Structures are given as C-alpha cells and as structure tokens.
C-alpha cells in the first residue's frame, strides 16, 4: 500500500513537472550585479539585471555580509534607488570595509543566485555632475577676449571639510562641430578659454572625479554666442602693422638699389691721397723729367747738390682737400726770389 502511494506521488510530481515544462515554466535564470556606486563616499547603491523568470513570478533578494563576519543581512532598502536595486544609507555604510553581495532569484520552480560581488565603498565613488555651470564672455581692454566659465561641486559632496576631493574636466565645441575640445581644470571651479571662433555658438559641459573612483556624468549643456566682431580690433591692428612693415621694407630695398654707391660712399668715404704743394700731377703722366725738375726749381740735369737741397725743401706733403694744384708753368713766390740772384750772377 505504501509503495503504491509513493509511486502515485512520484507520478503526480512528474506529471506536474512535465505540464509545467510544456507551459514554458522553469526555474529563474541567473541574475547579475552590474554596478555598485557611491555618490559621496557615505552611502551606496547596487543594481542588478534579472535573469529569465521561467514564466513565473520571481522574487529577488539581495543578501550581503561584511568580510570577517559570519552574519548575513538582507538589503535594507529596495525602494529609494528604483527597481532592481538596493540602497545602503549612512547607517549601513562603512568605508574601508569589504562587502560580499549576492542576488537570489526564486519562483515556484526553483531558485538561482548571482556570482558574488566584492564592494569597497571607498573605490566605487562616482559623484553627481557639477551644478550651476555659467558662461560669460569677457573683453578686457588691450587684451584678447576670452570665455569665462564657473560651476559648483555636486550638492551631495562635502568638499569643504576635505572628506572628498574633486577634480574637474571641461569640454566645449561649436554647436555644429562633431568633436569636443577637452580641458583639465584640476581642483578649481572656474576656467577660461582664449581661442574662440567669432560668430559661433559654443556648447560647454563639465564633469568631476574623486581621488579614488570614477568620472561623473557630464553636466547638462550650457551655451553662449560669440559675437562676430569679437576680434575685429586686434585683426585691424595686425593688418596695419603688416602693411606698414611691408612698405618700409620696399622703401629700403629701393633706396639700396638706386643709391647703393652713394650710400656706401657716405658711410665709408675714400681716404685722400697725399699731394705735393705747387706740383702739377699731370707732369708725371707725361713723363717729361726736365719739366718735372723745372717745377721743383732745378735748372740742370742731372740735379746738383744744391738742387737736391731744393728738392727736399719743396717736397712738402699736404693732404688738405681744399688745396688747389698750381698750374704747371707757375712757380712758388719763394722760388722766384731764390732764383733771381742766380740769374744775375750768370749774366755778369
């Protein structure tokens, strides 16, 4: 009797299983924890992806325990962070502590569990984007205009006490461009951009990152229109300087080409050659020795000792430009007076 009852129960169970399989019902698939995130290193949330539900209502529970402990806890809050999530508030969050987390899925046909996820809150910080991004175009006198941008840290992050230190990154582009221009701003919450294209509308975003953790999402886009005449003044000045420089260069080249010899003479004047007082330079060119000696006061050739003395007396060098050469047939007044007694002695 007992054997028949047992056989009947097994038959009914197999029939039930076969009917369930024919209806597409099965145990749930394996869930997966795909992300755990802390926005400010004080709380955190874990999200999971459900597996196949097996055609039946499936219940999911998150179970965790801290490293070194044997007590297992269930998720404290399934609602705050939305569906398929578990939120850990400050009371249930400890930094520098390893959490071992698993997800259990259960329906009428059975259950399954995810692979364990090891979480240290210190290393899963991903802050919210910065807030209140403002843009301003500044045009200081005698300087190039620039784009001035300013923002504030995420609301939940405590940066004043130093509990969390953030670094920032900015990206911008003209509205119709496809690629972003990225700039690292460090820990400052303001930045300026100098290179701007006039007449373009710029889109700007900013994000932040903690010392240990991940970049936040980009903030909502802010935009600003750059006027067309923002660099007109500087452009006109540079054009004027370029044209003026070209004109000066052309004038200098023309002056050198037309009056090169005169300029060289003015800068480096020739050294005047020595001149003999009362001596006609053309006598040397003609090559007549008698006339040359006569000009020097010598009557006979070859010259006597007296004539040699005269040569010494009359070879006076003068480098003055103002001294005019005397004609070939004229004689020095002193020479006339010295030769007069000689002529009288010869006649007597």
């Amino acid at each position: 009797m007992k054997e028949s009852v047992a056989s009947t129960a097994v038959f009914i169970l197999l029939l039930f299983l076969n009917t369930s399989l024919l209806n597409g019902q099965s145990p749930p698939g394996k869930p997966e924890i795909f992300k755990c995130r802390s926005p400010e290193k004080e709380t955190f949330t874990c999200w999971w992806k459900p597996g196949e539900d097996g055609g039946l209502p499936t219940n999911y529970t998150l179970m965790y325990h801290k490293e070194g402990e044997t007590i297992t806890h269930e998720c404290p809050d399934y609602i705050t962070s939305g569906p398929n999530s578990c939120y850990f508030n400050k009371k249930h969050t400890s930094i520098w502590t390893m959490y071992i987390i698993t997800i259990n899925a259960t329906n009428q046909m059975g259950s399954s569990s995810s692979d364990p996820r090891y979480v240290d809150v210190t290393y899963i910080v991903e802050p919210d984007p910065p807030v209140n991004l403002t843009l301003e175009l500044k045009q200081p006198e005698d300087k190039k205009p620039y784009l001035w941008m300013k923002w504030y840290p995420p609301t939940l992050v405590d940066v004043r006490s130093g509990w969390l230190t953030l670094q920032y990154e900015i990206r911008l582009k003209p509205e119709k461009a496809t690629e972003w221009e990225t700039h690292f701003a460090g820990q400052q919450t303001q930045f300026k951009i100098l290179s701007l294209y006039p007449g373009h509308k710029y889109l700007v975003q900013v994000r932040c990152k903690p010392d240990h953790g991940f970049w936040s999402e980009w903030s909502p886009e802010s935009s600003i229109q750059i006027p067309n005449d923002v660099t007109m003044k500087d452009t006109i000045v540079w054009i004027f300087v370029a044209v003026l420089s070209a004109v000066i260069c052309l004038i200098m080249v023309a002056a050198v080409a037309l009056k090169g010899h005169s300029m060289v003479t003015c800068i480096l004047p020739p050294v005047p050659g020595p001149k003999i007082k009362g001596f006609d330079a053309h006598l040397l060119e003609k090559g007549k020795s008698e006339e040359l000696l006569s000009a020097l006061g010598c009557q006979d050739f070859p010259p006597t000792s007296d004539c040699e003395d005269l040569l010494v007396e009359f070879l006076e060098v003068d480098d003055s430009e103002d001294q005019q050469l005397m004609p070939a047939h004229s004689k020095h007044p002193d020479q006339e007076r010295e030769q007069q007694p000689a002529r009288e002695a010869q006649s007597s």
Side-chain angles (χ1 to χ4, degrees):
M1 183 68 178
K2 292 182 179 180
E3 292 180 357
S4 61
V5 172
S7 300
T8 303
V10 171
F11 175 78
I12 295 173
L13 179 60
L14 291 175
L15 181 63
F16 175 77
L17 290 175
N18 186 47
T19 303
S20 299
L21 292 174
L22 290 176
N23 293 332
Q25 297 175 349
S26 63
K30 184 178 179 179
E32 176 189 0
I33 303 174
F34 69 92
K35 184 177 183 179
C36 291
R37 168 184 175 258
S38 173
E40 73 303 75
K41 205 163 67 174
E42 297 182 46
T43 64
F44 74 100
T45 300
C46 287
W47 291 267
W48 66 85
K49 293 180 181 179
E52 296 293 332
D53 59 9
L56 294 171
T58 303
N59 183 42
Y60 294 92
T61 57
L62 183 146
M63 307 299 295
Y64 73 94
H65 68 275
K66 297 179 182 180
E67 189 176 33
E69 296 182 358
T70 57
I71 302 175
T72 301
H73 307 275
E74 187 177 356
C75 169
D77 185 350
Y78 289 105
I79 299 175
T80 300
S81 297
N84 301 323
S85 69
C86 177
Y87 174 72
F88 294 79
N89 58 23
K90 294 181 179 181
K91 182 179 179 181
H92 294 88
T93 301
S94 300
I95 63 171
W96 308 115
T97 300
M98 187 67 69
Y99 290 74
I100 296 91
I101 302 173
T102 57
I103 305 296
N104 296 324
T106 306
N107 64 12
Q108 293 180 357
M109 298 296 296
S111 63
S112 63
S113 298
S114 67
D115 294 329
R117 179 77 175 243
Y118 296 85
V119 175
D120 187 335
V121 179
T122 307
Y123 295 97
I124 62 169
V125 179
E126 181 184 320
D128 294 329
V131 296
N132 298 334
L133 174 61
T134 58
L135 308 176
E136 182 181 358
L137 183 64
K138 295 192 175 183
Q139 296 178 295
E141 295 183 0
D142 301 329
K143 292 183 180 180
K144 289 185 178 181
Y146 59 88
L147 177 60
W148 180 258
M149 53 190 71
K150 186 176 181 181
W151 60 89
Y152 292 92
T155 306
L156 298 178
V157 176
D158 180 13
V159 294
R160 293 184 178 181
S161 65
W163 175 251
L164 199 63
T165 302
L166 297 179
Q167 297 177 337
Y168 300 92
E169 191 174 59
I170 303 117
R171 70 176 184 178
L172 74 160
K173 68 171 184 176
E175 186 177 27
K176 297 182 180 179
T178 56
E179 296 184 358
W180 293 87
E181 177 184 339
T182 305
H183 299 272
F184 181 69
Q187 297 182 17
Q188 60 183 350
T189 57
Q190 53 193 16
F191 199 77
K192 67 179 179 181
I193 301 294
L194 297 176
S195 55
L196 300 170
Y197 293 102
H200 287 264
K201 182 180 180 180
Y202 275 84
L203 304 178
V204 183
Q205 291 178 299
V206 61
R207 65 177 181 175
C208 59
K209 175 183 177 296
D211 295 335
H212 303 94
F214 305 95
W215 284 106
S216 70
E217 297 291 333
W218 289 102
S219 66
E221 291 180 353
S222 296
S223 62
I224 187 171
Q225 180 69 39
I226 308 300
N228 285 319
D229 59 347
V230 67
T231 58
M232 186 62 67
K233 183 178 179 180
D234 291 340
T235 303
I236 293 174
V237 171
W238 283 110
I239 291 175
F240 175 77
V241 171
V243 172
L244 182 60
S245 301
V247 171
I248 293 175
C249 291
L250 290 175
I251 292 175
M252 293 179 65
V253 171
V256 171
L258 296 177
K259 298 182 179 181
H261 180 72
S262 300
M263 293 180 65
V264 171
T265 303
C266 181
I267 297 173
L268 300 173
V271 178
K275 299 179 179 63
I276 301 175
K277 291 183 178 180
F279 178 71
D280 188 359
H282 295 290
L283 294 178
L284 290 175
E285 299 176 358
K286 295 177 180 180
K288 296 180 179 182
S289 59
E290 294 83 356
E291 296 180 4
L292 175 61
L293 293 173
S294 177
L296 296 174
C298 297
Q299 301 297 326
D300 299 326
F301 185 82
T304 63
S305 60
D306 296 336
C307 187
E308 290 178 357
D309 295 337
L310 291 175
L311 283 174
V312 174
E313 291 179 3
F314 281 95
L315 287 176
E316 297 179 7
V317 178
D318 186 8
D319 59 356
S320 174
E321 291 288 344
D322 299 333
Q323 181 68 32
Q324 300 293 328
L325 294 176
M326 298 179 64
H329 300 288
S330 64
K331 295 183 179 180
H332 195 277
D334 294 337
Q335 181 182 350
E336 289 290 341
R337 287 194 298 269
E338 292 178 2
Q339 292 180 357
Q340 185 65 31
R343 292 194 190 102
E344 291 177 358
Q346 289 177 1
S347 62
S348 61

